[in-house]
């Protein structure tokens, strides 16, 4: 399972990258706005830190021409840039356009198997179903991941499934059980994945007992 980090915060990206388990980065307009910094400054820093793994950058237009214009501009910034496109009819047309030009796409804001199927048929390189936002409205987000995985495998689509809107470690673990290709995870949740109270308690005990070991070599 690949781990992407879902952030535009360069410190979080650097920290996660230093763990050597990072396979890519996803951003969206909300995450870029949260940094409070100019768009190009943020994006160039991210691409300098992650030059050879997929970095999703989202278009802001909602019409086909605008999405193509913005996506082509973003694609110029690096061969690893993936154009993030909203799941709309205009967006699907843009996906087809970018597929034809050999530019990778990530179709975002997917909330149903029907939307996922359409995006896969349009030739999306990645699709991003949002689990947390479905949970927020009392739908089980992970059921969507299972359905999409079945559809993708039934027809052998090339599209990779990115579990997005991840809110806690169970979203990641259950996605791994289902067999999702990728989870895009906020930094806080990556840190939570490493933690277990019994590990902390166990380590504390080992360190205390270590004090009683005679003639320690270190
Ligand atoms: O990648 C999409 C993700 O950032 C949305 O997360 O927590 O705003 O639903 P959230």
């Amino acid at each position: 399972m690949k781990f992407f980090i879902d952030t535009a915060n360069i410190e979080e990206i650097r920290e996660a990258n230093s763990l050597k388990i990072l396979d890519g980065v996803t951003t969206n307009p909300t995450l870029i706005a949260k940094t409070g910094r100019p768009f190009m400054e943020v994006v160039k820093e991210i691409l300098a830190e992650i030059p050879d793994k997929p970095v999703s950058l989202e278009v802001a237009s909602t019409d086909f021409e605008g999405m193509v214009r913005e996506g082509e501009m973003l694609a110029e910034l690096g061969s690893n840039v993936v154009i993030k496109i909203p799941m709309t009819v205009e967006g699907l047309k843009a996906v087809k356009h970018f597929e034809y030009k050999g530019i990778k796409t990530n179709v975002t804001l997917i909330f149903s198997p029907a939307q996922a199927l359409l995006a896969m048929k349009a030739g999306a390189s990645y699709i991003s179903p949002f689990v947390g936002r479905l949970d927020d409205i009392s739908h089980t987000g992970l059921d969507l991941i299972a359905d999409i995985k079945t559809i993708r495998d039934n027809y052998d689509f090339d599209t990779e499934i990115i579990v997005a809107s991840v809110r806690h470690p169970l979203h990641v673990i259950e996605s791994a059980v289902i067999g999702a290709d990728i989870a895009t995870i906020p930094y806080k949740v990556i840190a939570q994945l490493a933690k277990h109270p019994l590990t902390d308690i166990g380590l504390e005990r080992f360190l205390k007992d270590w004090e009683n070991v005679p003639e320690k070599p270190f």
Side-chain angles (χ1 to χ4, degrees), residues 14 16 21-22 33 38 43 58 61 64 73-74 92-93 95 108 134 139 143 152 156 168 172-173 185 201-202 207 211:
R14 287 192 182 125
I21 54 157
L22 195 61
V43 164
E58 191 159 339
S61 284
F64 170 76
M73 190 272 266
L74 292 171
L92 292 177
K93 289 186 212 163
V95 168
T108 189
L134 280 171
H139 285 256
D143 287 350
R152 197 275 309 274
D156 212 15
H168 50 71
V172 180
I173 302 312
I185 317 173
I201 292 166
L207 292 177
E211 283 168 22

Side-chain angles (χ1 to χ4, degrees), residues 6 26-28 30-31 84 108 128 130 132-133 136 163-167 184 186:
D6 195 27
T26 53
T27 67
N28 63 37
T30 307
L31 294 171
K84 208 169 177 190
T108 189
S128 293
F130 279 33
R133 291 193 197 181
D136 288 345
V163 180
S165 187
V166 165
R167 302 279 174 75
T184 190

Side-chain angles (χ1 to χ4, degrees), residues 7 15 17 35 37 61 85 93 106 119 123 132 140 148 151 168 194 201 206 211:
T7 186
E15 190 59 34
N17 202 23
T35 68
R37 300 174 56 211
S61 284
I85 295 175
K93 289 186 212 163
N106 173 1
T140 307
I148 293 174
I151 294 169
H168 50 71
I201 292 166
F206 284 154
E211 283 168 22

